[in-house]
C-alpha cells in the first residue's frame, strides 16, 4: 500500500514540474521593427495559470515612457484568477516626437507573488520624424481654388495649406513627396483654370507653404502626375501630362525644386501624353519611368541619370495605353510595373525587373477585359509586392491583380465577394513580404454607390473590405497613400462625398488598415480630393 501511495506521489510531482505553473505568451499581434511618431499600437500578452484552484496577485513593471499598460478584454487586473485559467495584459506603444531617432529596448515583467517573474522583451526603433501626408484636389467653394491639406505629425492632425499664391481657380490631379519632416519636398500638379495653364505647385518645407512654378510656359498644358525622390538639394522632382501642342509633357527639377526644365518629347511621338511617373534613388543615379499614350498605343520613357537624359522604351503593346506606373528597389535591380488598357480588350500589364531597362508583358487573359488604373509596388527584388487595380467595365467587379515575387507571376483576386459592380481608381502598398500592407481604393457601384476600400495585411494574399458607410453612403476614393509596415503602417484614402453635395472625403488608419477614422477639420464644405502623397 505504501508503495502505491509513493508511486502516485512521485507521479503527481513529475506532472507538476512538467507544466510551468504560470506562463506568458508572446505579443499579439507580433511586434514590428519600428513604430512611427503619432501612432498608437495595442498589444496583448496572455497569462495562463496552470495551478488548479489557486489565484495569484500580480504586478506589472519594466515598461515606461512611450510604453504603457492599458485595459483590454479579459484583463488580468491585479490578480490571476484561480487555475486552470487565463487572462490578458495589454500594453500601448505610442511614440511621440521626444522619442524620435531612438532605439527602444524594455522588458515587460509580470511578477506573481514573489516568484521568478515572467518576462518579454520589447525592442523596436522610432524613426527620426513622423511621416508627412498631403491630400490635394479642389475647393469647390468661392472662386474654387486648389485644395491642399497637410499633416506633419503622421496623420494625427491635418491643416489646410494656403493656395492663394497659386491661382484663384484651379485643381490638382497628382502629388508626390520625398524626404522627411519639415524638410520634405512635395510637388502637386494640375490645372490653373483661371489662366488656362498647367499648374505645378512646390513645397520645400513639408507642405507648410507652397509656391507656383512659373519659369516654364505651360499655356494650355495639363499635368496629370508628379514624382519625387531623394532629399534636400539633390532631390529629383518631375511632373508629367500633355503640352499645348498635344505632345507628352515632361518637367524635371534636379535641385530639390529650385528650378525646373522641360524635356523635349518630340523625338518620342508626334502626339500623346503621360499619365503617371515613378522615380527612385537620388541625385544623378535616380531612375524615373514615365508612362502614358502614343496616339492610341502605349508609351514608356526612362531616365537613368536623374532626369538629364531620356530614352523611349520600345514596346509592342499596340492599341492600349498606360494609366500608371510604380517602381520599388534601387538601380538596375529595381522592380517596376505599369498598367493600363483601353476598356474594350484585356487590361494591359507590363513588368521590368532590371530598373526599367527592359519590359515584358504579363498575360491578363484570366480577366474578361478592362483597364488597370492604380499601380503600386513595395519591397525589393524577387520578394517585391506589386498590385494592379482597376475597372472591368459595365456591371462587373473591379480588377485586382497581385504579384508577390517581383512581378514574375501574378494572381487574380476574386473581388466579386465584395461587390458585383465597382471600380478601383488607386492603389498603395508599403512594407515588405508578408508584413506588407496594400490598399485598393475606388467606388462600389451597387446600392447607394458608396466608396470602396479593400485592405490586405499580408502582402496581398488575403483581402478584407472596409465598412465605409460611417463616412458616407455615396462617394468615391480617388487616391490612397501608405507608409510603414505591418500593424504600425499609416494609410490615408481621399476622394469625395457626394451624398448631399460634393464634399472632400479623407480617412486615415494608423494600425495597418484595421480601423479607420474620418478627418473633417480644416476641410471646406464643398470640394474633392484627387491625389495623395506621403514622405517618410
Amino acid at each position: 500500500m505504501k508503495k502505491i501511495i509513493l508511486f502516485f506521489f512521485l507521479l503527481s510531482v513529475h506532472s507538476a514540474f512538467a507544466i510551468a505553473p504560470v506562463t506568458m505568451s508572446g505579443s499579439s499581434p507580433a511586434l514590428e521593427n519600428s513604430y512611427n511618431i503619432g501612432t498608437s499600437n495595442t498589444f496583448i500578452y496572455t497569462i495562463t495559470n496552470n495551478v488548479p484552484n489557486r489565484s495569484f496577485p500580480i504586478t506589472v513593471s519594466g515598461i515606461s515612457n512611450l510604453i504603457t499598460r492599458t485595459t483590454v478584454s479579459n484583463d488580468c487586473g491585479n490578480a490571476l484568477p484561480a487555475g486552470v485559467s487565463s487572462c490578458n495584459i495589454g500594453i500601448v506603444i505610442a511614440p511621440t516626437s521626444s522619442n524620435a531617432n531612438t532605439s527602444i529596448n524594455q522588458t515587460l515583467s509580470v511578477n506573481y507573488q514573489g516568484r521568478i517573474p515572467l518576462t518579454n522583451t520589447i525592442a523596436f526603433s522610432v524613426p527620426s520624424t513622423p511621416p508627412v501626408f498631403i491630400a490635394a484636389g479642389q475647393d469647390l467653394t468661392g472662386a474654387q481654388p486648389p485644395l491642399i491639406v497637410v499633416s506633419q505629425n503622421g496623420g494625427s492632425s491635418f491643416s489646410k495649406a494656403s493656395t492663394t499664391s497659386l491661382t484663384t481657380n484651379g485643381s490638382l490631379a497628382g502629388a508626390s513627396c520625398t524626404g522627411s519632416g519639415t524638410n520634405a519636398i512635395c510637388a502637386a500638379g494640375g490645372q490653373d483654370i483661371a489662366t488656362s495653364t498647367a499648374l505645378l505647385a512646390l513645397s520645400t518645407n513639408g507642405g507648410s507653404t507652397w509656391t507656383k512654378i512659373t519659369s516654364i510656359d505651360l499655356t494650355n498644358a495639363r499635368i496629370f502626375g508628379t514624382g519625387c525622390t531623394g532629399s534636400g538639394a539633390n532631390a529629383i522632382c518631375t511632373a508629367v501630362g500633355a503640352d499645348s501642342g498635344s505632345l507628352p509633357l515632361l518637367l524635371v527639377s534636379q535641385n530639390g525644386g529650385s528650378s525646373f526644365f522641360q524635356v523635349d518629347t518630340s523625338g518620342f511621338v508626334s502626339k500623346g501624353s503621360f499619365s503617371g511617373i515613378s522615380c527612385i534613388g537620388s541625385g544623378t543615379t535616380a531612375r524615373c519611368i514615365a508612362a502614358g499614350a502614343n496616339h492610341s498605343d502605349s508609351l514608356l520613357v526612362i531616365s537613368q541619370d536623374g532626369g538629364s537624359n531620356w530614352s523611349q522604351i520600345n514596346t509592342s503593346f499596340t492599341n492600349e495605353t498606360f494609366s500608371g506606373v510604380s517602381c520599388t528597389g534601387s538601380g538596375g535591380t529595381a522592380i517596376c510595373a505599369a498598367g493600363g488598357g483601353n476598356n474594350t480588350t484585356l487590361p494591359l500589364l507590363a513588368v521590368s525587373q532590371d530598373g526599367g531597362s527592359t519590359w515584358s508583358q504579363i498575360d491578363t487573359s484570366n480577366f474578361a477585359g478592362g483597364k488597370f488604373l492604380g499601380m503600386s509596388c513595395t519591397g525589393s527584388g524577387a520578394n517585391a509586392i506589386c498590385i494592379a487595380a482597376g475597372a472591368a467595365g459595365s456591371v462587373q467587379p473591379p480588377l485586382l491583380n497581385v504579384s508577390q515575387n517581383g512581378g514574375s507571376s501574378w494572381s487574380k483576386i476574386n473581388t466579386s465577394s465584395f461587390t458585383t459592380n465597382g471600380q478601383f481608381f488607386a492603389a498603395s502598398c508599403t512594407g515588405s513580404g508578408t508584413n506588407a500592407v496594400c490598399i485598393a481604393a475606388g467606388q462600389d457601384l451597387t446600392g447607394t454607390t458608396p466608396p470602396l476600400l479593400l485592405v490586405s495585411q499580408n502582402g496581398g494574399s488575403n483581402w478584407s473590405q472596409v465598412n465605409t458607410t460611417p463616412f458616407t453612403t455615396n462617394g468615391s476614393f480617388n487616391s490612397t497613400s501608405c507608409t510603414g509596415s505591418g500593424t504600425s503602417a499609416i494609410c490615408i484614402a481621399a476622394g469625395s462625398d457626394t451624398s448631399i453635395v460634393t464634399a472632400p472625403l479623407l480617412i486615415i488608419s494608423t494600425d495597418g488598415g484595421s480601423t479607420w477614422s474620418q478627418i473633417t477639420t480644416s476641410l471646406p464644405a464643398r470640394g474633392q480630393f484627387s491625389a495623395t502623397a506621403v514622405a517618410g
Side-chain angles (χ1 to χ4, degrees):
M1 182 67 177
K2 290 181 178 179
K3 291 182 179 180
I4 294 174
I5 293 173
L6 178 62
F7 170 76
F8 280 108
F9 171 76
L10 292 174
L11 180 63
S12 64
V13 170
H14 174 78
S15 299
F17 281 96
I19 302 175
V22 182
T23 61
M24 178 165 60
S25 71
S27 68
S28 177
L31 291 170
E32 301 288 341
N33 293 325
S34 65
Y35 293 97
N36 291 315
I37 296 169
T39 62
S40 180
N41 312 273
T42 301
F43 302 90
I44 295 175
Y45 297 81
T46 298
I47 313 295
T48 301
N49 179 7
N50 294 306
V51 181
N53 305 316
R54 181 74 183 274
S55 64
F56 299 97
I58 63 169
T59 58
V60 177
S61 61
I63 56 175
S64 61
N65 194 5
L66 73 169
I67 306 177
T68 57
R69 186 176 176 185
T70 186
T71 302
V72 294
S73 176
N74 191 31
D75 196 273
C76 294
N78 296 318
L80 300 180
V84 175
S85 64
S86 64
C87 59
N88 296 324
I89 297 290
I91 66 165
V92 171
I93 297 176
T96 65
S97 57
S98 63
N99 308 121
N101 201 28
T102 59
S103 295
I104 306 300
N105 195 323
Q106 298 184 16
T107 301
L108 174 66
S109 179
V110 179
N111 195 305
Y112 59 103
Q113 210 174 36
R115 291 167 172 78
I116 298 174
L118 307 171
T119 60
N120 249 304
T121 299
I122 303 173
F124 58 90
S125 62
V126 180
S128 57
T129 55
V132 170
F133 284 95
I134 70 168
Q138 185 174 19
D139 183 339
L140 295 179
T141 64
Q144 302 188 350
L147 173 63
I148 302 174
V149 296
V150 180
S151 173
Q152 295 180 332
N153 54 11
S156 295
S157 62
F158 282 79
S159 60
K160 184 181 177 183
S162 173
T163 59
T164 55
S165 63
L166 304 180
T167 179
T168 56
N169 183 4
S171 63
L172 296 168
S176 178
C177 292
T178 188
S180 61
T182 55
N183 294 317
I185 297 171
C186 297
Q191 281 189 289
D192 182 340
I193 301 172
T195 61
S196 299
T197 62
L199 174 60
L200 179 58
L202 187 80
S203 173
T204 58
N205 54 9
S208 294
T209 59
W210 293 79
T211 57
K212 181 180 180 180
I213 303 302
T214 58
S215 56
I216 301 172
D217 183 8
L218 298 175
T219 303
N220 295 323
R222 293 165 294 166
I223 292 176
F224 301 134
T226 63
C228 295
T229 186
S231 60
N234 293 319
I236 306 296
C237 273
T238 59
V240 296
D243 73 7
S244 58
S246 297
L247 283 173
L249 177 67
L250 179 54
L251 308 177
V252 177
S253 171
Q254 298 174 315
N255 52 13
S258 294
S259 61
F260 280 80
F261 62 89
Q262 185 171 354
V263 176
D264 181 7
T265 61
S266 60
F268 304 142
V269 296
S270 59
K271 182 180 180 181
S273 64
F274 289 123
S275 300
I277 189 166
S278 181
C279 296
I280 54 174
S282 62
T284 57
T285 60
R287 293 189 178 218
C288 294
I289 308 289
N294 170 11
H295 292 273
S296 60
D297 297 333
S298 60
L299 174 63
L300 286 174
V301 301
I302 181 173
S303 172
Q304 302 179 71
D305 57 5
S308 294
N309 297 283
W310 295 79
S311 58
Q312 185 174 357
I313 299 166
N314 293 323
T315 64
S316 57
F317 316 141
T318 58
N319 297 319
E320 292 188 285
T321 62
F322 285 117
S323 301
V325 60
S326 178
C327 296
T328 187
S330 61
T333 60
I335 304 298
C336 297
N342 64 11
N343 288 324
T344 59
T345 58
L346 296 178
L348 174 62
L349 184 59
V351 170
S352 171
Q353 296 175 320
D354 57 6
S357 297
T358 60
W359 293 74
S360 58
Q361 187 170 3
I362 302 301
D363 180 11
T364 59
S365 59
N366 52 346
F367 293 93
K371 186 176 186 177
F372 290 124
L373 300 171
M375 306 295 300
S376 184
C377 294
T378 188
S380 61
N383 295 318
I385 306 292
C386 290
I387 69 171
S394 178
V395 195
Q396 295 290 329
L399 304 183
L400 188 56
N401 217 11
V402 175
S403 173
Q404 298 174 316
N405 55 10
S408 294
S409 61
W410 293 74
S411 300
K412 175 184 177 181
I413 303 301
N414 181 11
T415 60
S416 61
S417 60
F418 304 117
T419 179
T420 57
N421 185 14
Q423 51 195 352
F424 291 126
F425 302 124
S428 182
C429 291
T430 185
S432 61
T434 56
N435 287 324
V437 172
C438 291
I439 306 291
Q443 185 173 24
D444 184 344
L445 297 177
T446 64
T448 60
T449 64
L452 177 63
L453 198 67
L454 298 191
V455 177
S456 172
Q457 297 174 315
N458 56 7
S461 294
N462 303 102
W463 293 80
S464 59
Q465 186 172 2
V466 176
N467 178 18
T468 61
T469 53
F471 312 129
T472 180
T473 56
N474 180 264
S476 67
F477 289 123
N478 302 321
S479 185
T480 180
S481 294
C482 296
T483 187
S485 65
T487 56
S488 63
I490 307 175
C491 298
I492 64 171
S496 59
D497 175 356
T498 53
S499 57
I500 301 176
V501 296
T502 301
L505 176 62
L506 179 62
I507 65 172
I508 185 169
S509 171
T510 59
D511 55 9
S514 294
T515 61
W516 295 77
S517 57
Q518 187 171 2
I519 305 297
T520 57
T521 57
S522 300
L523 301 185
R526 298 182 63 239
Q528 58 189 5
F529 290 120
S530 301
T532 58
V534 60

